[in-house]
Amino acid sequence: MIPLAEPTLSGNEGRYLQECIDSGYVSSVGPFVERFERGFAAVVGSRHAIACASGTAALHVALRLAGAHVGRMVAVSDFTFIASANAVAYTGADLLLVDSEPRTWNMNTELLRDEVVRRAHHGRPIPDIIEVVHVLGHPVDMEPLLELRDSYWIEIVEDAAESLGASWTAGELAGSQVGTAGKLGCFSFNGNKLITSGGGGMITTDDDAMAAEARHLINQAKMAGPGYIHDTVGYNYRLSNLAAAIGTAQVECLAERLRAKWAIAARYAEALRWLPLTLAPHAEWAHPSYWLYSVLIDDAGIDPDGVVEAARSDGVQLRRLWPPLHRQRPYRRVDRIGGEIADDIYRRGVSLPSSAHLSEGDQKAVTASLAAHIGSSRGHRDTA
Ligand SMILES: *Cc1c(COP(=O)(O)O)cnc(C)c1O
């Protein structure tokens, strides 16, 4: 089976793990945690990076630091992995789901801006926080959000779990990477992400006080000094030295991984261009990371589930994209702006095998399988 996304462990992972075992530092105290944080902050371009137990934990803490709690409103992309919304729900804040825009599949930030302006004009409640998700490796169009931040003091938290290494190439944010545009950025090192620590996350921020508070919260809000004195309800969200050792080795290979993802994307774009597909987004103002190369099936006569099943029998693992949050049981009744584009992306979307070490031969097998099932079912329908 050619898997959808599996980790590439070809660097110093084993050596660093052995160092942990030899030194006895396997838990949350140990030199690799700081090394991982420093290395990560350097590649992303943020002042601080705080390692934690998962991407979801990173989001939970970041949202709390941005002021999310009962009675507050957080705007979230409707089309995203459910962890983005769960982290908001943990804080007790209300969600406002925002539809996607067709060009990048990300939150339609102009739609949100216009809605906030309208609500403010009518004296209706507006979001206190925007949690913006850079889905599948493509940066969000941030300019409308920066306007909202400046006009209405809305805090921005970035869920950059899927887009490490992606950046903006034009406008106010030109040259910056995702995770550095908001007050706080969040990343994941789950096994299927661009780099992994076997599970883990990172919070990035340029704000010294927030960085200190994040460290405090992930360590049970334990006060400095001897004894068990805690000033608030914290969390056990620390990352282990073992996980950080793997993460440190992975950061060393980040540039190489990004190059591999670009090569995979270019080959898919070339091989699939004649099929009835919308290829993975690439806006002219963005440098995507192509974390998980995904396409939309343009032919309404082709059932994505059928394509996934047929590819499986060829030994190729495809996966459908996420149902929008407004279709997930916990979030069916929450407030939302639109949702039709998110529905359409879900209805037509499929992700393709995208492991950084995917061989050219395996990739040819993927594109041949797609051509057989998407090309032929179309031929079938056309002649019917
Ligand atoms: C993976 C992911 C997360 C959660 O990360 P974990 O490390 O699995 O907790 C959050 N948001 C998005 C968009 C993700 O893809």
Side-chain angles (χ1 to χ4, degrees), residues 84-123:
S84 310
N86 287 347
V88 178
Y90 301 161
T91 69
D94 297 321
L95 286 99
L96 170 65
L97 306 181
V98 184
D99 202 0
S100 296
E101 51 120 347
R103 213 166 38 134
T104 67
W105 311 350
N106 279 318
M107 177 192 277
N108 186 332
T109 53
E110 289 182 9
L111 181 72
L112 175 61
R113 180 196 52 203
D114 295 349
E115 175 74 9
V116 169
V117 170
R118 197 161 36 240
R119 287 187 182 196
H121 182 75
H122 292 292

Side-chain angles (χ1 to χ4, degrees), residues 52-59 79-85 87 131 133-136 159-163 186-193 199-202 291 322:
C52 46
S54 69
T56 312
L59 285 169
F79 175 70
T80 179
F81 178 56
I82 199 158
S84 310
E131 185 204 44
V133 190
H134 308 286
V135 296
L136 300 166
D159 179 348
E162 300 178 359
S163 295
C186 299
F187 294 87
S188 165
F189 310 115
N190 186 39
N192 63 348
K193 298 287 157 60
M202 196 74 83
W291 163 61
W322 321 280

Side-chain angles (χ1 to χ4, degrees), residues 73-347:
M73 190 197 299
V74 182
V76 186
S77 319
D78 192 357
F79 175 70
T80 179
F81 178 56
I82 199 158
S84 310
N86 287 347
V88 178
Y90 301 161
T91 69
D94 297 321
L95 286 99
L96 170 65
L97 306 181
V98 184
D99 202 0
S100 296
E101 51 120 347
R103 213 166 38 134
T104 67
W105 311 350
N106 279 318
M107 177 192 277
N108 186 332
T109 53
E110 289 182 9
L111 181 72
L112 175 61
R113 180 196 52 203
D114 295 349
E115 175 74 9
V116 169
V117 170
R118 197 161 36 240
R119 287 187 182 196
H121 182 75
H122 292 292
R124 291 173 57 207
I126 61 170
D128 302 285
I129 298 155
I130 298 166
E131 185 204 44
V132 70
V133 190
H134 308 286
V135 296
L136 300 166
H138 198 290
V140 169
D141 174 10
M142 294 294 289
E143 312 242 325
L145 302 186
L146 302 180
E147 286 172 38
L148 289 178
R149 178 195 63 192
D150 296 341
S151 310
Y152 300 96
W153 301 92
I154 300 176
E155 290 280 25
I156 299 172
V157 173
E158 294 174 80
D159 179 348
E162 300 178 359
S163 295
L164 171 59
S167 59
W168 291 276
T169 57
E172 198 177 320
L173 293 168
S176 14
Q177 288 193 37
V178 298
T180 62
K183 193 76 179 172
L184 298 136
C186 299
F187 294 87
S188 165
F189 310 115
N190 186 39
N192 63 348
K193 298 287 157 60
L194 183 69
I195 64 169
T196 186
S197 60
M202 196 74 83
I203 301 170
T204 50
T205 184
D206 288 342
D207 185 307
D208 297 348
M210 283 202 176
E213 192 59 20
R215 284 191 194 290
H216 185 58
L217 287 176
I218 67 168
N219 192 21
Q220 304 281 23
K222 184 182 173 300
M223 307 288 282
Y228 293 100
I229 312 297
H230 308 262
D231 64 343
T232 183
V233 180
Y235 315 96
N236 177 8
Y237 278 172
R238 290 167 305 175
L239 189 70
S240 75
N241 200 49
L242 283 174
I246 300 176
T248 302
Q250 293 267 300
V251 170
E252 293 169 354
C253 301
L254 178 60
E256 202 182 302
R257 295 282 174 279
L258 286 164
R259 276 196 299 277
K261 295 279 181 177
W262 265 78
I264 290 168
R267 288 197 292 267
Y268 273 140
E270 173 62 26
L272 302 175
R273 88 199 125 89
W274 58 279
L275 292 177
L277 295 172
T278 298
L279 300 178
H282 181 180
E284 67 282 0
W285 42 264
H287 183 83
S289 69
Y290 291 115
W291 163 61
L292 191 60
Y293 196 91
S294 304
V295 296
L296 307 182
I297 299 171
D298 290 337
D299 186 330
I302 297 176
D303 166 30
D305 283 329
V307 174
V308 172
E309 269 315 303
R312 189 197 310 280
S313 57
D314 297 336
V316 173
Q317 187 186 18
L318 308 180
R319 185 171 297 162
R320 290 193 59 183
L321 294 173
W322 321 280
L325 293 173
H326 75 258
R327 297 199 174 272
Q328 304 279 10
R329 186 185 287 256
Y331 303 109
R332 266 180 211 159
R333 283 182 188 79
V334 309
D335 195 9
R336 68 180 154 113
I337 311 171
E340 296 74 22
I341 304 293
D343 274 333
D344 184 58
I345 295 167
Y346 163 58
R347 200 159 41 235

